[in-house]
Structure formats: C-alpha cells, structure tokens
Amino acid sequence: MDKFLKDSGIFCISSWDRVGGQSVHFNGICYLENCIIFGQEGFEKYLAENINVESLVEGRFTAVYPLSSDFKDWCICNDETGQGLIFFYNYNENWAVSNSFLYLVEFLNKKNVKLSFNISSVMGFSALHTTTQQPISHSTLVSEVRLLPLNEIIHIKDLKLNFVKRAVKPKYSYEEGLVLFRDSWVNRLNALSNCFSGGIHCDLTGGYDSRTIFGLVLSSDIDLKSLNVRSQIGKVEDFNVATRISDSYKFSLNSGHFSKKKVSNEKLFELWRYGNLGIYFPVYFNACSYSQSTDNIVMHGAGGEALRDKYYN
C-alpha cells in the first residue's frame, strides 16, 4: 500500500496475506472508561500496556489488532455508530477487509476476483435526497463487497472471517442517558484539554448542535480565555447569536487559529477518492491531510449543523 494512504489511516488485510503478517492498525479516536486512545501511536502504546484489550466501542475509529500472542487470531472493528466504515469481501476461502471501498475493489481486481455492479445500489444515488447521498443498506455499488453491520465485529481465526455480535449495552432512561452523556463528556474534555498542545477549538453558530457542545465546554474546567471559539462573520444571524454568547461569558471570538498539514491538490484528490468515492455523494476536498497529530482538537456541530436549512422552520 502507498505510504501516503497508509499514513492517512487506510488499511486492507486479506486471506492472500502471509499468516501473522498483518500489522496493527488504528485510525481515529476511541473513548474507554479510563483511557482515551488517539491515532496509531496511541493505540500501539495502549496495546503494549494492556494484555487483554477491552471492547472498543465509543468514538470514531477503525481498528485491527491481534487477539493472540502468536498473531494468528485478529480482531477488526469500528465504533458502534459506524462512522468508521468497514467493507469486506468473503467468498469460499478468500476474503479481504478494508476501511476504503475503492481500495478494496482495486485490491480484489488485482487478485482477479470477478466483481459485478449492484444496479439497485447504483440507482439509489440517482434519487436527489440527503438520505441517498450515502449508503442506506449493507450493500455497496459492487455486489460482492458488503458493509459491516453496526452490531458486528470481525474475528479472524483459522484464516477465516467470523462475524461476532457486539455485547448488548445496558439500557438507561432518557434522563439517565443525558446525565451520563454530560458527565462522561465533561470528564473527557477535561482530559483532552491537557493533551493537545495546540489548544481546543470550538465552532459556535446559531444552531442547537454547536451550542450543545459549547454547553459541555462550559460545564468542564476548560478556561474559556484559552479556547479559540470560531464563528463565521459572513453568517450574520449565526454570528449575532455567537456574539451575544461571547459577551455574556466574557470571551473573544475568532481569537486564534489551528495548524494544518498542507498537502498538494493531487494528494487531496487521492484522499477524497479513497475516502469517499462510491460511498458518499457530495464532492468536497479536505483542507489538509488526514494524518493525525496531537496538536489540536476541533469541536463542531457537524451533520446537524449542515442540515439546519432542512429543519429550521
């Protein structure tokens, strides 16, 4: 695999690999009860210090790690919400797994695996609606490649894929869930604020999503004066709401910037292809490399904020 793609968090392992020749992979961030794992380096350190790896559930990540000391048995998993997508091919004795749809298809093509278009999935993208801009089932554009369900992880044992159900999480009432969520994230934000040398950056708009996140920041021990709160001046209504909040809590807006690792337009196009092509309809390029660092942490409303024009009234 190209080093740039590997450093950007893409993995692919298969039955064509040498036994025990797989390497540990981690891309993203994972929250455990007493630990926050960030990036490949952090995950390798966690594995070195923990003999029995507990279930990886919360966060946004894809992970590949050994289940046995002889490196014959492996686990492949992602976060419970499926933000880190995992694709697989599994037919007879041959199988392959990757977190990049395009890379997996290209890999299978090089192995002379017969592939076919899934016409129904292809036609789904022709419906002009936000729900069709991404996968709406476990099928993909290629019939032989499937998306790993949210409630499953993969164990590789005896050179075969085994699909294992996730442990069922305890159920809470709505009120209990809100309190648990608030307390967990306040503790996490306190921990993260001590880890990121470049500081914490938080978007603030007129939407509920970013204001909810900002409310968590207010509940934490983070000094607002050390926080870079960003709001777009060009979004007049949003900026007016953000200004009123900043005036009330005595902090400045747009007071800093965060570092980005710049890469060429060609590399950005490559990242888009292997990260989005075939699974996400909108076309936009990253502003920087996917390569993870511990310089900055940025919080924002993400999807909910982007869809405000759909539900505003």
Side-chain angles (χ1 to χ4, degrees):
M1 178 182 293
D2 179 86
K3 184 178 184 302
F4 178 73
L5 292 179
K6 185 175 181 180
D7 290 345
S8 298
I10 293 175
F11 80 89
C12 182
I13 64 174
S14 75
S15 56
W16 287 274
D17 296 330
R18 177 174 56 85
V19 177
Q22 298 91 343
S23 59
V24 170
H25 155 84
F26 187 89
N27 181 46
I29 188 168
C30 178
Y31 302 100
L32 301 174
E33 184 174 354
N34 297 308
C35 183
I36 298 176
I37 303 172
F38 183 81
Q40 180 80 18
E41 183 180 350
F43 189 57
E44 290 179 354
K45 182 179 180 181
Y46 175 78
L47 291 178
E49 297 175 352
N50 294 269
I51 299 176
N52 297 315
V53 178
E54 63 178 284
S55 178
L56 307 179
V57 177
E58 289 193 69
R60 179 173 183 167
F61 62 87
T62 54
V64 180
Y65 60 92
L67 291 171
S68 57
S69 58
D70 58 8
F71 295 93
K72 289 185 178 180
D73 299 337
W74 289 74
C75 178
I76 306 173
C77 64
N78 57 353
D79 58 275
E80 63 180 347
T81 60
Q83 294 183 81
L85 301 177
I86 292 179
F87 303 91
F88 67 90
Y89 166 83
N90 189 27
Y91 184 74
N92 290 337
E93 299 299 319
N94 293 324
W95 54 264
V97 186
S98 177
N99 58 351
S100 169
F101 171 73
L102 177 61
Y103 190 91
L104 180 56
V105 171
E106 289 182 340
F107 173 84
L108 294 172
N109 187 56
K110 291 177 182 178
K111 298 299 180 181
N112 297 316
V113 174
K114 186 178 180 180
L115 302 174
S116 57
F117 266 120
N118 185 335
I119 302 301
S120 59
S121 292
V122 174
M123 293 300 295
F125 280 100
S126 65
L128 301 180
H129 193 275
T130 54
T131 57
T132 61
Q133 294 181 345
Q134 54 194 334
I136 56 176
S137 73
H138 299 132
S139 299
T140 71
L141 301 185
V142 174
S143 298
E144 293 77 14
V145 174
R146 302 277 293 175
L147 183 65
L148 184 68
L150 296 182
N151 66 335
E152 294 183 0
I153 61 177
I154 295 175
H155 283 178
I156 302 174
K157 292 189 176 183
D158 298 324
L159 299 180
K160 295 181 180 180
L161 294 188
N162 298 273
F163 297 88
V164 181
K165 297 292 185 183
R166 291 185 186 272
V168 178
K169 296 182 68 174
K171 294 183 178 181
Y172 304 98
S173 68
Y174 182 72
E175 292 79 9
E176 290 173 331
L178 284 178
V179 172
L180 179 63
F181 179 85
R182 179 202 63 194
D183 293 347
S184 296
W185 272 101
V186 166
N187 291 331
R188 290 169 182 173
L189 288 174
N190 287 334
L192 290 170
S193 65
N194 295 321
C195 297
F196 288 81
S197 59
I200 293 182
H201 311 266
C202 181
D203 288 353
L204 182 58
T205 71
Y208 292 121
D209 296 63
S210 67
R211 280 190 284 168
T212 298
I213 293 173
F214 185 72
L216 293 173
V217 174
L218 286 177
S219 300
S220 72
D221 297 329
I222 297 175
D223 182 3
L224 293 182
K225 293 181 180 179
S226 67
L227 187 70
N228 175 28
V229 182
R230 310 181 305 174
S231 188
Q232 297 185 44
I233 298 177
K235 301 281 187 179
V236 179
E237 293 185 2
D238 282 358
F239 191 74
N240 287 339
V241 173
T243 300
R244 289 167 58 190
I245 295 174
S246 67
D247 289 343
S248 177
Y249 289 99
K250 304 295 188 297
F251 65 88
S252 300
L253 292 173
N254 302 320
S255 58
H257 67 280
F258 62 94
S259 60
K260 298 179 180 180
K261 182 180 179 181
K262 296 292 185 180
V263 295
S264 67
N265 290 332
E266 290 78 11
K267 290 297 185 183
L268 291 178
F269 177 64
E270 189 175 15
L271 284 174
W272 171 78
R273 288 178 63 235
Y274 285 98
N276 297 277
L277 192 62
I279 59 172
Y280 191 58
F281 190 75
V283 178
Y284 62 89
F285 296 149
N286 237 37
C288 56
S289 169
Y290 279 158
S291 298
Q292 298 175 96
S293 69
T294 54
D295 294 334
N296 308 278
I297 181 170
V298 182
M299 299 179 292
H300 51 79
E305 293 290 320
L307 294 173
R308 274 193 298 141
D309 61 325
K310 309 294 184 193
Y311 63 72
Y312 182 69
N313 290 318

